Amino acid sequence: QVQLVESGGDSVQAGGALRLSCAASGYTYSSDCMAWFRQAPGKGREGIASIDSFGRTTYADSVKGRFTISQDNAKKTLYLQMNSLKPEDTAVYYCGAENSERYCYYYNAPDYWGQGTQVTVSS
């Protein structure tokens, strides 16, 4: 049973920072692609950052330069460091994992999802 469990969501003021974590279990953490997604109220789920098994990353323009995705393979944990947070970053954040031979882009649909963690940014 594959499980992805996000943590680290919180309420912060604009300009602040948060680090999200996603712990994987029941899963061979040599996934070809791990990624972060988010879903704002009333909007669809969007991919924002990805990282492959070689450490190559891609980012959506909306978070490029502010967010950093990373992973610790030994701990089977994915991270998202979020800096310079804006009110429009308010959303439920999800991690996803994909086994695929295609290139690991942030917008790829994953095979597995976490349950999400809430991030609220106030102005």
Side-chain angles (χ1 to χ4, degrees), residues 65-118:
R66 300 187 299 123
F67 292 8
T68 302
I69 188 171
S70 62
Q71 61 187 352
D72 184 328
N73 289 334
K75 295 182 179 179
K76 297 184 180 181
T77 302
L78 179 72
Y79 302 101
L80 184 68
Q81 178 66 43
M82 305 187 294
N83 298 329
S84 302
L85 283 161
K86 305 175 181 180
E88 51 264 44
D89 294 318
T90 295
V92 178
Y93 283 71
Y94 301 87
C95 66
E98 178 191 11
N99 286 123
S100 174
E101 293 185 356
R102 61 179 177 175
Y103 194 84
C104 179
Y105 288 109
Y106 62 87
Y107 48 75
N108 290 358
D111 300 312
Y112 306 100
W113 290 99
Q115 85 292 345
T117 186
Q118 176 71 46

Side-chain angles (χ1 to χ4, degrees), residues 19-78:
R19 189 175 82 154
L20 305 183
S21 300
C22 172
S25 62
Y27 187 73
T28 302
Y29 200 87
S30 59
S31 172
D32 296 297
C33 187
M34 298 292 294
W36 285 99
F37 300 78
R38 66 185 181 185
Q39 187 164 16
K43 295 188 177 181
R45 194 171 299 188
E46 61 170 349
I48 56 173
S50 68
I51 186 167
D52 68 10
S53 57
F54 297 101
R56 294 175 297 194
T57 58
T58 71
Y59 295 91
D61 287 344
S62 58
V63 305
K64 197 175 295 182
R66 300 187 299 123
F67 292 8
T68 302
I69 188 171
S70 62
Q71 61 187 352
D72 184 328
N73 289 334
K75 295 182 179 179
K76 297 184 180 181
T77 302
L78 179 72

